[in-house]
């Protein structure tokens, strides 16, 4: 693991411990390296009314925007188990709003090996903001 991924992994793991997941017991952390060179992290937040919960990735995106970052340069997602914890479909679309298709998404079940894929591989033939440009 290179130094950049180590820092992202550590940030995702640190925030994952703060996840609010009383229903699924599936705590997820996400850390973004933004265009301003800073790392922003977020965790999942569940709710008794399931649809109004928040995944880790949009939590990290919100932290990035609040902190002044504009674009995702790399994102690292951690969760329990050995299988890579990949962003759900909705989160892939949310990442697409702030990342280019060649941005690498690292998905890591912390008891296994990380999976590295580009956003384009995770969300092929995607619809993005450029489709709405005048």
């Amino acid at each position: 693991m290179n130094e950049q991924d180590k820092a992202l992994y550590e940030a995702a793991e640190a925030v994952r411990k703060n996840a609010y997941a009383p229903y699924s017991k599936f705590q997820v952390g996400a850390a973004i390296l933004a265009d301003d060179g800073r790392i922003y992290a977020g965790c999942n937040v569940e709710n008794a009314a399931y649809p109004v919960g928040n995944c880790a990735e949009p939590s990290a995106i919100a932290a990035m925007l609040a902190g002044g970052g504009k674009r995702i340069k790399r994102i690292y997602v951690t969760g329990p188990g050995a299988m890579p914890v990949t962003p759900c479909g909705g989160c892939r679309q949310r990442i697409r709003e702030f990342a280019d298709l060649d941005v690498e998404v690292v998905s890591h079940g912390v008891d296994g090996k990380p999976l590295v894929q580009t956003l384009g591989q995770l969300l092929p033939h995607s619809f993005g903001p450029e489709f709405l440009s005048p």
Side-chain angles (χ1 to χ4, degrees), residues 28 30 32 42-43 55-62 75 77 85-88 91 95:
V28 179
I32 291 171
C43 59
C55 293
E57 298 88 341
S59 294
I61 290 168
I75 183 167
V77 181
V85 177
T86 61
C88 72
C91 287
I95 294 166

Side-chain angles (χ1 to χ4, degrees), residues 29-108:
I32 291 171
L33 174 63
D35 56 346
D36 63 1
R38 294 177 56 197
I39 293 176
Y40 299 94
C43 59
N44 58 319
V45 180
E46 294 179 349
N47 190 287
Y50 292 138
V52 296
N54 213 25
C55 293
E57 298 88 341
S59 294
I61 290 168
M64 175 187 76
L65 294 170
K70 303 286 186 234
R71 301 290 296 165
I72 298 169
K73 295 302 179 185
R74 190 172 185 84
I75 183 167
Y76 206 113
V77 181
T78 62
M83 296 297 295
V85 177
T86 61
C88 72
C91 287
R92 293 175 193 203
Q93 186 63 45
R94 287 177 178 95
I95 294 166
R96 173 71 167 88
E97 187 73 16
F98 300 98
D100 296 332
L101 291 172
D102 63 349
V103 165
E104 290 184 328
V105 178
V106 183
S107 305
H108 197 169

